[in-house]
Amino acid sequence: MSSSKEIINLNVGGKKFSTSKQTLSWIPDTFFTALLSGRIPSLLDENGAYFIDRDPTVFTQILGYLRTGNIMLSGEENLIQLKHEAEYYGISPLVKRLTLCEELKHSACGDLFFYGLLPALRKDSCNLEGINRIESVATSRNHSRNSSVDSRFLNFGQSRGLAQGAGHSRNASWDSRIPRLDWSINKSSEKVRVVKAHLQCIAVAYAHTTVVYRQRETGGWLPIFTSSTLDDEIDKLAINYRTNALCCMIAVSSGSSIHLWQISDDFSPSKLGPFEFQGHADDLFFIGNHLVALRKAPVGTIGVWHCTTKHWQTQSAVSVTCWDYAGSFLLLGSASGTICYIDMQKFPLRMKDNDLLVSELYKDPESDSISSISVYLTPKTNLSGNWIEIAYGTVSGVVRVIVQHPETVGHGPSLFQTFTVHRSPICKVRLSEKHLVSVCSDGGHVRTWSVTRFRGMVSTQPGPIPVASFHTLTLDNGLWDNGPFGEQDDDQIFLQRVVPDSDLLYVRLASNGKRICVIKSVDGSSISCSCLYECESVTRSSQRPRRLLLTGHESGTVQMWDLSTALDPKEAAYTGPGGPDSAELLRLVESCDLVTSGTSTPVMPGPGHAVRVRLSQLSPHNNEENVFV
C-alpha cells in the first residue's frame, strides 16, 4: 500500500473518524499535513488514533469538504463556527469560501443607517504642520480677497476627495500652496481617541493632535484646522460653535494642561491657552461659551475659562464625585452627600475675589456619597419661571429627585421622591422631559420611570410610573460608557458595546431597552469612541436637525450613522431583545476569545494570547475577580 493510501484514524473530541492520508493532505500547509509529517507534536489514544480536542460535529463538515471539495451550510451560526474551525485547521480554500459568504451580507458602503465617513489621518506620511500652514495662509494679508475662503477650501476638499462634484480652483496660486496630504486608510493610521461635535463642526482627537471639520453648504465636511503636535497624549476634548461670534472654540486636555483655540469664520485660528490644571482632567466641556474642566476626588479640581474676562481660574474641590449642568448652572455632587452649584452668570463679579462661588444647594438626608447627578431645567412659561429638577444616585443604590421652585429661591430645593429599587451603587442617572433613567453597577442594571408633567413641571399625580427593567451588559471594565445619551427633550439612547475592541454597537432606547439598530463598522475596525450629535443643516431648506451617531475607530476614521432614520417607526422592524441575544452574545465573546489552548492538542501558530477580562461591573458585590472568557 502506498503512503497516500494509508488509512488514518482520528479521535476528534471522543468521536472516531477514519479517512485516507491523501484526503487529509491534498491541501498543503494545513494542520493535518503538519500533524502527519511530525512537524507538530501529537497525542495518540489507547487505540493509536490521533487525538484532536475539537468539536466532532463541526469536524464532520470539515472532513466532508476534504473528501469532496464541497460544503453544506445550515445557517449563519453554522457559518461562523465552521469558519472558526477552518481557520484553526489552516484550510485556506475553505476559509476563503466562508469569508466570501460572510461578505455577501456586509458592504463597505454600510447599511441603511450609514451616513458618511471622515477619512483617517496617517501618522507616517501626513505632515500635521501642513494644515497649520493653511492656517497661516488663511490669515495672510497678501493673498487676494476676491475669491471666497469657502471656495478655496472647497477645492482643497476636492483635491482630498472630501468634496462632492467637480470644479476648478478659482485661485491657482492658493491651490498650489496647499500641502498635498494623504488621507487614505491603512494600518499606519492613528486611532481616534475622542470625537465631539456641535452645530456645524466636528472635532476629532488623535493621540497628540486634533482635527476640526466644518460642514459645507453643499454637503460633506472640510478640514479647517489641525492643532500642532502636543507633547502629552490627549484624553479629553470639547467643542463649542459660537453662532453670535461666528467662531469655533476647541479645547483639549493634554497631560496637566488645558489647550484652547478659537477658529474664526474665515478659518484663521488663535491660541488662547495653554492653562495649567494641576493634573489630568476627568471631564472637559463648555457651559454656554465658558470652558469648564473638572477632576474628581480625592484630588478634585475645578477650572473655568470665562469668555468675557478671558480669565482662567482654578479652585480645589476635594470631595467632588459627579457633575451635570443645565442653563448657566453647574451642579457638583460630593462624597459627603452635599450638592453644590456654580452660577456661570455671576463669574465676572467674583473673579476679582479669586473665588468661583461654589454654593451649597442640598444635603442628602442620609449623608450618603453621591455617585451620579442629572439636572433638568424646565422651560420658562408665562405662568411660571424655570423649575430646577435634580435627580441623583448614591453609592448605596438610592435614587432621589429634588425640585427647586422659582418661588422658593433662597430656601433650597425640596425632596420630591425617593426610589430604593437598586442594591448596588448608582453609576448613571438621567432625568429628561419624559423619563427618569437610573443605571447601577450590577451588570449595568437599568430601571426607568415615566415622568408626569403639568404645564411643563413635574407632577405628583400620578407621579413617576415604572416602565422597564433591563441590563446593559458590558465587559469593558469601565472603559466604555453605555449612556444614556441625548437631548433631554428627546429620546435618550444607550450605546452598548459588549466586548472590548468590538466593531459592533447596540443602539437601544433608554426608556424601555428596545433595540433601535446595530451599528457595524464599515471597514471592520474596532470602535474606540462615540458621540451623539444633532446635525443642523447649513442650507436654507433645513428642517429638524438630523440625529447622528459619530463613531471613532482604531483605523483612524470617523463614521456617521443616521439615527433619525433608525428611530423612524417605519424602520422599527426588529422585535427581539434590546441587547444581544444568546447567540449574538456567544459570538461576541468568542470574538475576543484568543486564549491559546492549554491542552495537549497541537495548536497552529497564530496570534493567540490570553485575554483577561475583569467582570467587576457584572458582580453584584462589585468585586475585582479576574476571569477568562
Side-chain angles (χ1 to χ4, degrees), residues 72-92:
M72 295 295 293
L73 298 177
S74 58
E76 184 177 356
E77 303 302 323
N78 178 254
L79 170 63
I80 297 171
Q81 191 176 17
L82 184 58
K83 181 183 175 184
H84 180 80
E85 292 298 296
E87 289 173 341
Y88 174 84
Y89 291 116
I91 307 176
S92 300

Side-chain angles (χ1 to χ4, degrees), residues 153-165:
F153 273 87
L154 174 62
N155 292 319
F156 170 68
Q158 289 168 342
S159 67
R160 301 279 63 80
L162 299 177
Q164 298 174 353

Side-chain angles (χ1 to χ4, degrees), residues 309-522:
T309 62
K310 301 295 190 295
H311 181 72
W312 171 258
Q313 177 73 29
T314 60
Q315 183 170 316
S316 175
V318 176
S319 62
V320 170
T321 56
C322 54
W323 47 82
D324 193 24
Y325 60 92
S328 63
F329 293 98
L330 171 63
L331 273 75
L332 308 169
S334 69
S336 61
T338 301
I339 297 177
C340 299
Y341 75 96
I342 302 175
D343 189 352
M344 295 293 176
Q345 293 180 347
K346 297 182 179 179
F347 270 21
L349 302 177
R350 302 296 296 185
M351 282 300 182
K352 295 181 180 180
D353 301 332
N354 196 33
D355 188 2
L356 292 181
L357 196 59
V358 180
S359 306
E360 182 174 329
L361 180 67
Y362 184 78
K363 176 77 172 180
D364 182 73
E366 305 295 333
S367 298
D368 208 357
S369 176
I370 298 175
S371 54
S372 181
I373 190 169
S374 175
V375 56
Y376 177 71
L377 201 62
T378 64
K380 194 172 184 179
T381 65
N382 295 329
L383 299 175
S384 65
N386 296 112
W387 281 40
I388 301 177
E389 302 170 0
I390 301 170
Y392 70 90
T394 69
V395 294
S396 62
V398 176
V399 177
R400 302 187 197 273
V401 178
I402 59 177
V403 178
Q404 173 76 67
H405 302 266
E407 299 81 8
T408 61
V409 174
H411 299 283
S414 57
L415 180 61
F416 178 76
Q417 196 157 2
T418 300
F419 304 91
T420 57
V421 297
H422 293 285
R423 300 180 59 192
S424 300
I426 304 298
C427 54
K428 202 71 174 288
V429 64
R430 186 71 170 173
L431 179 61
S432 64
E433 181 183 9
K434 299 178 181 179
H435 294 95
L436 170 64
V437 181
S438 63
V439 186
C440 76
S441 58
D442 180 14
H445 178 223
V446 181
R447 288 295 300 266
T448 65
W449 297 265
S450 64
V451 176
T452 306
R453 296 189 177 276
F454 178 71
R455 293 178 178 175
M457 300 169 287
V458 66
S459 173
T460 57
Q461 299 296 330
I465 302 174
V467 175
S469 174
F470 55 94
H471 284 78
T472 53
L473 173 71
T474 180
L475 301 179
D476 262 332
N477 191 27
L479 300 179
W480 179 269
D481 184 5
N482 283 333
F485 305 102
E487 299 293 333
Q488 290 178 305
D489 61 348
D490 207 342
D491 291 321
Q492 305 281 297
I493 64 172
F494 283 105
L495 303 175
Q496 183 181 0
R497 188 178 74 173
V498 179
V499 297
D501 302 324
S502 174
D503 64 345
L504 291 177
L505 276 186
Y506 291 85
V507 183
R508 307 171 63 180
L509 282 174
S511 58
N512 53 27
K514 290 183 178 180
R515 182 186 301 185
I516 301 172
C517 63
V518 178
I519 300 301
K520 181 175 176 59
S521 171
V522 296

Side-chain angles (χ1 to χ4, degrees), residues 566-623:
L567 287 165
D568 189 336
K570 298 178 181 178
E571 301 296 337
Y574 182 78
T575 57
D581 57 29
S582 299
E584 291 172 328
L585 181 58
L586 290 174
R587 196 157 61 241
L588 286 168
V589 173
E590 183 181 353
S591 68
C592 68
D593 182 8
L594 304 178
V595 181
T596 302
S597 173
T599 68
S600 57
T601 302
V603 178
M604 296 298 291
H609 298 285
V611 175
R612 188 178 296 271
V613 179
R614 180 169 293 171
L615 301 181
S616 58
Q617 284 189 315
L618 305 183
S619 170
H621 305 290
N622 198 31
N623 57 31

Side-chain angles (χ1 to χ4, degrees), residues 19-20 22-24 26-27 59-72 91 93-94 97:
T19 185
S20 68
Q22 182 180 9
T23 298
L24 294 178
W26 71 272
I27 299 177
F59 183 77
T60 301
Q61 293 178 286
I62 296 289
L63 186 58
Y65 172 78
L66 293 176
R67 286 169 172 167
T68 66
N70 297 317
I71 195 73
M72 295 295 293
I91 307 176
L94 180 56
R97 290 192 184 189

